[in-house]
Amino acid sequence: MSFNCSEYLALAKQLAGKALMSASEEARLRSAISRGYYAAFILARNYLRDRQGITIPVQQTHQFVINQFRHSSDLLKQKIGKDLSRLRFNRNQADYDDNIDNLPAITTRMLKLAEQVMSNLEKLASVEKR
């Protein structure tokens, strides 16, 4: 069955406390993948901007941030870039694909991966403070 995108509005209303009925499980899982990606992405972007002094372009921002990490000589940064790329791929699926097989398992993996990216960014920041 194809995903009904109007479920996102139901979820948005639920999150805002204005829901007449509960959002579907699928809408919640898709939104969780998307929000998990953005949590990790924004921290990565801010790390580059605030700690590395890198100017972030307005166009193709997501790919730019991912590439900055992926093409680093630092292995931890490379891992962050690879993980961000995987998160972005799954976020795009959650946002745009009508059908996603095994959505609950993918959501669990992506949230763990987002946490790992955020933890690795904290490690980078703490190493730089020394």
Side-chain angles (χ1 to χ4, degrees), residues 30-41:
R30 286 171 175 264
S31 293
I33 291 170
S34 184
R35 297 299 89 199
Y37 166 72
Y38 276 107
F41 167 75

Side-chain angles (χ1 to χ4, degrees), residues 32-69:
I33 291 170
S34 184
R35 297 299 89 199
Y37 166 72
Y38 276 107
F41 167 75
I42 295 298
L43 284 178
R45 182 202 66 191
N46 292 352
Y47 171 86
L48 293 175
R49 183 191 66 207
D50 301 340
R51 296 196 172 267
Q52 302 288 297
I54 296 173
T55 301
I56 308 297
V58 176
Q59 299 291 322
Q60 300 195 1
T61 305
H62 295 261
Q63 196 60 51
F64 177 85
V65 168
I66 290 167
N67 287 341
Q68 289 297 304
F69 284 95

Side-chain angles (χ1 to χ4, degrees), residues 3-10 95 98:
F3 177 63
N4 179 357
C5 290
S6 66
E7 291 291 334
Y8 282 137
L9 180 57
D95 286 350
D98 291 333

Side-chain angles (χ1 to χ4, degrees), residues 91-104:
R91 191 271 303 177
N92 284 338
Q93 278 191 313
D95 286 350
Y96 301 115
D97 289 3
D98 291 333
N99 299 300
I100 301 174
D101 294 329
N102 209 10
L103 185 58

